C-alpha cells in the first residue's frame, strides 16, 4: 500500500456506470478514469449517490446494492485490465434524508473504513445538522461532508461549518468550486474556507459526462500562485490518503493571501 501523500487521491466522484447521474456507460467511466490519471491521481474511491433512508429498508437496500455491485464488478474489471497501477475503491455519497441513516454495511462507507461521505439533501442543511452529525459519530462513523461550499446559507454564515466540525465532521471542497464551476457564491465560500484552514479534503466530484472537467490541475496552479503548495499537497494527497488508510487527517494550514488575490485570478479556468 502506498503511503499517504505518495500520490493524489480522489475520494468523491461518480464513475460506476449506470447507477446515478454520473457515468452512463463503461466508456464514460473509462474516460473519467483516464482524466483523473492524467491529473496525477493514483487512488480513487468512487461514490455513487445513496439516499440514507434506503439503508433503513432492507429490501430496497439490497435491490440497490445488487445493481451497484454488478456495475462495480464491471468497472473493477476494466480498471484492473486498463489501469493496473490505479488503486480503485468504492463507497457512496449518502444523502442524510433520515436522521437514522445506517452505515453498518461497509459498502456504504469510504473503502470500508470508518469514514462516510455525506451530503445534505437539496443543498439545504437542516436546523439540527449538528445533532445529525453527532448521531453518526455514535455509530463509530466519521462523517466527511461533501462540497460544503455549495450549501444554502454558507455564504451568510460560515460559523455553521465550524459547528459541523465541532460536532466531529470533516469538510470536503470541490476543486472546481475554487475556479467558479458552481458560480461566484460557491467560489467565494470555498476560498474563505481555505483561508480559515477549515478544509480537510479537496476532491473532484467528477461526473464523467461530455465536457466535464476535473479542475485539479487548475486548482493546483491557483494555490501555488498563492504560495499554497503545501496546503494543496495536504488536501489533495496527504489527507485523502490518510482517510483511505482509516487514519486521522492532518489539520490544514490557513491560507494567508495578499489583499485582492482571488480577484486577480478569477479568470484562471482553462479547458483541459
Amino acid at each position: 500500500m502506498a503511503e499517504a501523500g505518495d500520490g493524489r487521491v480522489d475520494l468523491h466522484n461518480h464513475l460506476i456506470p449506470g447507477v446515478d447521474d454520473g457515468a452512463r456507460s463503461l466508456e464514460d467511466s473509462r474516460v473519467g478514469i483516464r482524466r483523473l490519471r492524467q491529473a496525477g491521481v493514483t487512488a480513487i474511491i468512487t461514490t455513487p449517490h445513496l439516499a440514507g433512508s434506503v439503508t433503513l429498508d432492507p429490501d430496497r437496500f439490497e435491490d440497490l446494492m445488487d445493481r451497484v455491485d454488478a456495475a462495480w464488478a464491471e468497472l473493477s474489471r476494466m480498471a484492473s485490465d486498463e489501469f493496473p497501477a490505479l488503486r480503485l475503491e468504492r463507497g457512496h455519497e449518502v444523502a442524510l434524508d433520515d436522521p437514522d441513516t445506517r452505515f453498518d454495511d461497509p459498502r456504504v462507507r469510504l473503502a470500508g473504513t470508518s469514514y462516510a461521505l455525506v451530503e445534505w439533501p437539496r443543498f439545504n442543511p437542516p436546523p439540527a445538522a449538528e445533532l445529525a452529525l453527532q448521531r453518526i459519530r455514535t455509530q463509530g462513523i466519521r462523517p466527511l461532508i461533501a462540497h460544503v461550499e455549495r450549501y444554502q446559507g454558507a455564504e451568510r454564515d460560515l460559523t455553521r461549518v465550524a459547528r459541523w466540525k465541532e460536532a466531529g465532521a470533516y469538510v470536503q471542497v470541490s476543486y472546481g468550486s475554487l475556479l467558479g464551476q458552481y458560480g461566484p457564491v460557491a467560489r467565494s465560500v470555498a476560498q474563505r474556507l481555505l483561508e480559515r484552514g477549515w478544509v480537510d479534503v479537496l476532491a473532484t466530484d467528477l461526473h464523467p459526462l461530455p465536457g466535464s472537467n476535473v479542475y485539479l490541475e487548475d486548482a493546483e496552479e491557483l494555490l501555488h500562485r498563492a504560495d499554497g503548495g503545501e496546503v494543496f499537497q495536504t488536501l489533495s494527497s496527504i489527507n485523502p490518503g490518510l482517510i483511505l488508510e482509516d487514519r486521522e487527517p492532518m489539520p490544514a494550514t490557513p491560507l494567508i493571501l495578499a489583499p485582492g488575490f482571488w480577484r486577480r485570478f478569477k479568470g484562471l479556468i482553462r479547458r483541459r
Side-chain angles (χ1 to χ4, degrees):
M1 179 186 298
E3 289 298 319
D6 283 356
R8 293 168 182 165
V9 178
D10 190 49
L11 47 64
H12 181 185
N13 54 74
H14 299 265
L15 295 173
I16 298 181
V19 299
D20 65 359
D21 60 345
R24 298 165 301 187
S25 65
L26 192 62
E27 179 56 27
D28 285 344
S29 306
R30 179 181 288 109
V31 169
I33 291 176
R34 188 176 299 123
R35 288 175 181 161
L36 291 169
R37 292 289 287 144
Q38 289 169 348
V41 173
T42 59
I44 294 170
I45 306 178
T46 190
T47 50
H49 290 289
L50 171 66
S53 55
V54 172
T55 67
L56 306 177
D57 184 327
D59 291 336
R60 289 177 64 203
F61 180 72
E62 286 307 323
D63 285 346
L64 176 61
M65 287 299 106
D66 286 347
R67 187 161 63 92
V68 175
D69 287 350
W72 163 251
E74 184 182 24
L75 176 66
S76 297
R77 285 192 295 270
M78 181 273 289
S80 178
D81 290 342
E82 301 181 24
F83 304 94
L86 175 71
R87 178 176 177 183
L88 182 65
E89 303 282 355
R90 65 186 287 192
H92 277 87
E93 181 181 10
V94 183
L96 298 177
D97 63 337
D98 191 297
D100 294 319
T101 295
R102 297 191 60 83
F103 296 90
D104 47 325
D105 191 304
R107 294 172 293 183
V108 175
R109 308 192 300 269
L110 293 175
T113 68
S114 62
Y115 288 90
L117 183 68
V118 301
E119 66 174 341
W120 306 119
R122 296 175 293 281
F123 292 95
N124 188 17
E130 294 82 15
L131 295 178
L133 295 169
Q134 290 168 1
R135 199 162 186 166
I136 293 171
R137 291 297 306 226
T138 64
Q139 297 185 46
I141 302 301
R142 296 185 270 194
L144 173 66
I145 306 176
H147 41 59
V148 165
E149 71 280 7
R150 296 174 62 191
Y151 294 114
Q152 296 177 30
E155 74 281 7
R156 297 189 302 272
D157 185 11
L158 282 187
T159 61
R160 300 181 76 186
V161 179
R163 293 197 296 271
W164 298 344
K165 290 179 73 70
E166 290 169 0
Y170 301 87
V171 166
Q172 179 255 305
V173 161
S174 299
Y175 293 110
S177 292
L178 294 171
L179 283 303
Q181 180 186 10
Y182 302 104
V185 173
R187 180 182 62 214
S188 174
V189 173
Q191 293 165 351
R192 288 155 61 200
L193 290 171
L194 280 175
E195 291 171 9
R196 287 161 174 77
W198 290 356
V199 181
D200 297 292
V201 170
L202 289 168
T204 66
D205 192 9
L206 176 63
H207 293 62
L209 302 174
S212 59
N213 190 322
V214 300
Y215 291 101
L216 193 157
E217 292 160 301
D218 294 306
E220 180 180 22
E221 180 179 342
L222 181 66
L223 291 185
H224 273 280
R225 292 191 186 195
D227 293 326
E230 182 178 337
V231 171
F232 182 85
Q233 176 72 3
T234 298
L235 303 184
S236 67
S237 299
I238 295 174
N239 278 356
L242 289 169
I243 288 172
L244 185 58
E245 296 172 7
D246 209 10
R247 295 162 59 189
E248 188 77 13
M250 295 174 55
T253 302
L255 197 60
I256 308 300
L257 299 172
F261 174 85
W262 297 121
R263 187 168 59 252
R264 292 197 299 275
F265 292 100
K266 282 172 64 175
L268 183 63
I269 297 178
R270 296 189 308 276
R271 293 293 175 188
R272 293 188 182 274

